[in-house]
Amino acid sequence: MTNMTSTSPSSPASQREMTIRGLILGALITVVFTASNIYLGLKIGLTVASSIPAAVISMSVLRMMGGATILENNLVQTQASAAGTLSCVFISFPCLVMIGYWQHFPYLETMLLSMAGGMTGVLFTVPLRRAMVTHSSLPYPEGVAAAEILKAGSETGDPDSLKALLTGGLVSAVVTLATGGLRLLADGAAMTATWGGAIFRASTGFSLALLGAGYLVGIAGGIAMLLGAIIAWGVAVPVLTTILPNPSHLAPADFATALWAQKVRFLGAGTISIAAVWTLAVLARPVAAGIRDMLRAGAAIGDAGDDRDLAPRTLGLLAGVLLLVLFGLFIVFQMPAATNGHAIVTAALAAVAFCALFGFLVAAACGYMAGIVGSSSSPLSGIAIIATVMIASFLLLLEGLGLLPAEMAANNHHLAIAFALFLLSAIVASTAISNDNLQDLKTGQLVGASPWRQQAALLVGCASGAIVIPPVLELLYQAYGFVGAMPRPGMDASHALAAPQPALLVTLTTGIFLHHLDWTMILLGVGLGIALIATDLLLRRRGGALPPLAVGIGLYLPPAVSVTLAIGAVLGWACTRQPQGGRSTHAETGAGTMLASGFIVGESLTGVLLAAIAGATGRDDTLSILPAEAGMMPALLGFGVFVAICIWFGRSIRRG
């Protein structure tokens, strides 16, 4: 395959690229999408890519300011893409609150670890660019799509795209205010039924963010998550409620929910684990081949023109600073609980070495996977699970060799568990950015951008995203709390954020250190995952798909989340499919995508705003205007509004 050069006729080298206004706009977009993705991730366990909405916003804003170029817009979306990636630290940081090691999110530690981890992800992928992007035939589906949007926007422009994004955001913000603030609308509805000793429970949510996320996930992922919810609540919970006693004499709905939380989620954990391992195994050969080719070709390729990376001296200096920052953070983290200075330093050095060696290997693997299946489809949660197991095993080995502080083993390994999760946060940040960086560089290659400027922009994106991560996490925790964490006084536990990935990682880490994992349910989940993998392989031969990882997530997530996501996926499929089959190509960039992104941003930012109000007043019902005796009215109103918006959304997709 003939590789594209670093310049193109439509984007001459004379065009301006890195500008002050572009960096400011990119930082503002990064802050907005980082906040919204953290909220979405803690609520449903998913984030959405921010590159395409960022490109649309950039093209619209810079066009109004005048003198915009495709290269300037590309640099803005490169910087803003950090929002959809660095925000993935929501997977790990809440774990430290859940286990009680942190009572809040300390600003400096959280910000610096996010920033340092993310920046190492940028540095790890710099030596991979030439072999994996410039001299590679990898498809990079999302990078190519972003390039096409930038080209189309620079040639024709589409002001309606920004209008759709803002409209979706406004509608979602109003509904979220009426739901979570004024309490006029319920956020979902549930129904419980019994048959003999079996308990069945069906529920759905009315969240527009979930509706939009379902549209973006697509029909295969949406149906797979719905299947997971059906297996959990239509099979597993009824069977368990039949064979297990109800010792506390809980109400049927509470008993079913307790069994799902204590048993069925382990089933989901097993399915997720084997699905993640399978995905990595499938990609192992091309990843190994890509890294081998990189090592062979890397030294033979020299700089040509503006096709150059950040200078080696800059890379070396920045790498040294980042490793020192990580070393200091690992020391500071241990100091409240450990006293042996020599052992603290040894543990910190081991953690830095793990970040450097394991981080680079994961960066190469993630970059290659992103090139094959795209950043959004790369199994980051599965990689986090594997990293958790490896980190815990690594620390247990060091503990056995007597190289860690004695306090690591005290109090049921509380410090060791916390240290493992803190180290995991650095790995997650690095992995997330490396997963995205090569995709951005592919976009840049197709539009004629300068690689070193893109790398610098992503470093700026890591910094601006890291600044907002700690206060957003703190606001959400103080206002809503997380399922599995100790609620603060006066907190309404029914509104706690599900935080599915943190809960799973806490379960795995504590289970490894304390040897009390529910292996029966986990192994059943592994068996289910193997059956789902076989089913997916058969369906793919016939042009279909049933992603086993998505089924496992559906088992693990609260049912209202999976059902609402499926509604969005089915609605999008019904409104974008072609008469001859397949999905309209316009669906990827049209009104549906922008409205769906607006739904997510509007609800997420309003949720963060309501969290700030709750944190300031100490109450989460400060704005509530509905009397306690309202009964079924909020549920009926919420259902009616949700159905009306679904109809409007579908019609807008058809028109768009």
Side-chain angles (χ1 to χ4, degrees), residues 473-527:
L473 286 172
E474 184 69 19
L475 278 174
L476 295 177
Y477 173 59
Q478 294 297 331
Y480 304 118
F482 309 139
V483 173
M486 183 68 68
R488 65 176 178 79
M491 183 183 292
D492 185 355
S494 65
H495 289 86
L497 298 172
Q501 280 100 333
L504 174 58
L505 296 180
V506 166
T507 298
L508 288 175
T509 309
T510 55
I512 291 170
F513 276 100
L514 304 182
H515 312 291
H516 61 34
L517 287 176
D518 188 343
W519 285 107
T520 300
M521 297 303 294
I522 289 176
L523 292 176
L524 285 174
V526 170

Side-chain angles (χ1 to χ4, degrees), residues 513-575:
F513 276 100
L514 304 182
H515 312 291
H516 61 34
L517 287 176
D518 188 343
W519 285 107
T520 300
M521 297 303 294
I522 289 176
L523 292 176
L524 285 174
V526 170
L528 174 62
I530 292 172
L532 291 169
I533 289 168
T535 303
D536 182 50
L537 290 174
L538 291 174
L539 288 174
R540 289 183 185 276
R541 292 179 181 177
R542 294 169 170 80
L546 184 68
L549 190 60
V551 178
I553 292 173
L555 279 161
Y556 197 84
L557 287 175
V561 172
S562 300
V563 172
T564 313
L565 281 165
I567 292 172
V570 172
L571 181 63
W573 171 80
C575 294

